[in-house]
Amino acid sequence: MPMYTASRISNNGNVLYPDAIAIDDYNVTYYKGRPVGYETTIIPRHCINGVFLDSHILFADIVISSAGRETISVHGFKKSIAREIVKILTQ
């Protein structure tokens, strides 16, 4: 299961607790870093409606929307990693 972690130097304030996404055959799991532990959001892959890439100068943001569930917004990925995530989720 690949795990992708956002950059610690992005401009969205995740220096100490970077966000991460884990992708397996059945689920996309979002880990939101906290001072103690993390918050987890899980979206089944068959419920994903769209994957959007918002590219900036150095980093990119990913928004994953789902049918009847939460939307995941992750900020601060390197552009190459963000493109890889979008490619995996849109195959």
Side-chain angles (χ1 to χ4, degrees):
M1 168 170 66
M3 173 81 85
Y4 302 97
T5 303
S7 175
R8 291 181 180 268
I9 60 171
S10 65
N11 63 352
N12 68 338
N14 64 357
V15 175
L16 296 176
Y17 317 107
D19 297 345
I21 291 181
I23 302 171
D24 63 24
D25 292 336
Y26 304 103
N27 296 312
V28 175
T29 306
Y30 168 57
Y31 299 97
K32 176 70 176 168
R34 301 278 183 224
V36 178
Y38 51 86
E39 178 183 329
T40 304
T41 303
I42 299 172
I43 295 180
R45 286 187 67 172
H46 70 273
C47 292
I48 294 176
N49 278 345
V51 180
F52 307 98
L53 177 66
D54 184 15
S55 184
H56 303 289
I57 293 172
L58 296 175
F59 299 103
D61 304 333
I62 295 176
V63 178
I64 303 169
S65 63
S66 65
R69 297 183 184 260
E70 294 186 42
T71 298
I72 297 174
S73 296
V74 189
H75 308 281
F77 283 110
K78 293 179 183 176
K79 287 183 178 183
S80 60
I81 293 173
R83 284 191 293 268
E84 184 178 339
I85 293 169
V86 170
K87 183 178 176 182
I88 289 170
L89 294 177
T90 57
Q91 289 181 357

